[in-house]
Amino acid sequence: WAIEKCFRTTKQYLGLKDSSSRYAHIYLTHIKYVFYAYALLQLLRKKFKLKSTEEAIRKVKAWNEKYGFRKTAQKLNLLENYA
């Protein structure tokens, strides 16, 4: 049931349902960015050996509150081992 988990996470946490544009290209861009964010969270989940995408979201939010945006971005250097 991975696809249901994916859509639940993108709707509840990443704003998939929040686009209210009347223009198709803006709506499609919003959808692309939501799934791009989901893909990045999947990389974080694998990199830090977390159990779920929601856990990755909680971890990023906690780091952002504790360290601020710049240090959080440095901590999350995603392409380090994948380039």
Side-chain angles (χ1 to χ4, degrees):
W1 304 102
I3 192 71
E4 280 87 6
K5 287 183 181 180
C6 173
F7 278 104
R8 183 191 68 209
T9 301
T10 57
K11 285 179 179 179
Q12 290 180 353
Y13 296 103
L14 301 178
L16 181 63
K17 64 181 179 188
D18 295 337
S19 180
S20 59
S21 176
R22 295 184 203 172
Y23 301 104
H25 69 281
I26 295 173
Y27 186 69
L28 291 174
T29 301
H30 176 78
I31 292 170
K32 288 176 195 176
Y33 283 130
V34 166
F35 283 103
Y36 180 70
Y38 185 80
L40 290 176
L41 287 167
Q42 288 296 319
L43 282 175
L44 284 175
R45 185 179 64 82
K46 289 182 183 267
K47 183 175 182 176
F48 294 106
K49 296 176 177 68
L50 303 172
K51 293 181 181 180
S52 68
T53 309
E54 289 87 358
E55 190 176 348
I57 292 170
R58 287 190 293 273
K59 190 171 198 79
V60 170
K61 283 184 178 181
W63 282 344
N64 196 32
E65 288 176 8
K66 186 173 182 179
Y67 301 114
F69 178 77
R70 185 171 298 213
K71 285 194 177 187
T72 299
Q74 290 170 349
K75 254 185 173 317
L76 301 177
N77 187 3
L78 295 175
L79 301 178
E80 185 176 279
N81 297 326
Y82 298 103

